[in-house]
Amino acid sequence: PPRSTLFPYTTLFRSKAKEQRSAVESIQLDYVSQDIDDDAVVDYIGYRVDFVDKRPSMLVRLYSTGNGWKIIGFEEFEED
């Protein structure tokens, strides 16, 4: 489609993305674990992210097999 047709949609998505941003107050290590998966050692880390505007904290889960860290998920943080 022509560029002029896409303009309203790209503007809409940009404005919605800006509404969802929130300043981070703190990032804390929540857990570290290790597992053996198909003869490979996999490291897992979870970080708790707290926000300035007091929206619910998030838990960001990452894993590494030795080639760098990758995010595997994020969800609302639940106290134990």
Side-chain angles (χ1 to χ4, degrees), residues 21-28 48-53 55:
R21 291 183 187 165
S22 186
V24 172
E25 182 175 313
S26 66
I27 300 174
Q28 304 168 26
R48 175 183 175 163
V49 180
D50 297 310
F51 299 96
V52 172
D53 64 2
R55 75 178 225 195

Side-chain angles (χ1 to χ4, degrees), residues 9-53:
Y9 298 106
T10 56
T11 304
L12 175 65
F13 290 124
R14 286 185 192 145
S15 64
K16 286 188 181 244
K18 287 179 184 176
E19 291 172 14
Q20 295 175 358
R21 291 183 187 165
S22 186
V24 172
E25 182 175 313
S26 66
I27 300 174
Q28 304 168 26
L29 181 63
D30 185 58
Y31 70 87
V32 176
S33 66
Q34 194 173 62
D35 196 7
I36 297 177
D37 186 25
D38 295 332
D39 297 327
V41 175
V42 181
D43 297 311
Y44 295 93
I45 292 181
Y47 287 99
R48 175 183 175 163
V49 180
D50 297 310
F51 299 96
V52 172
D53 64 2

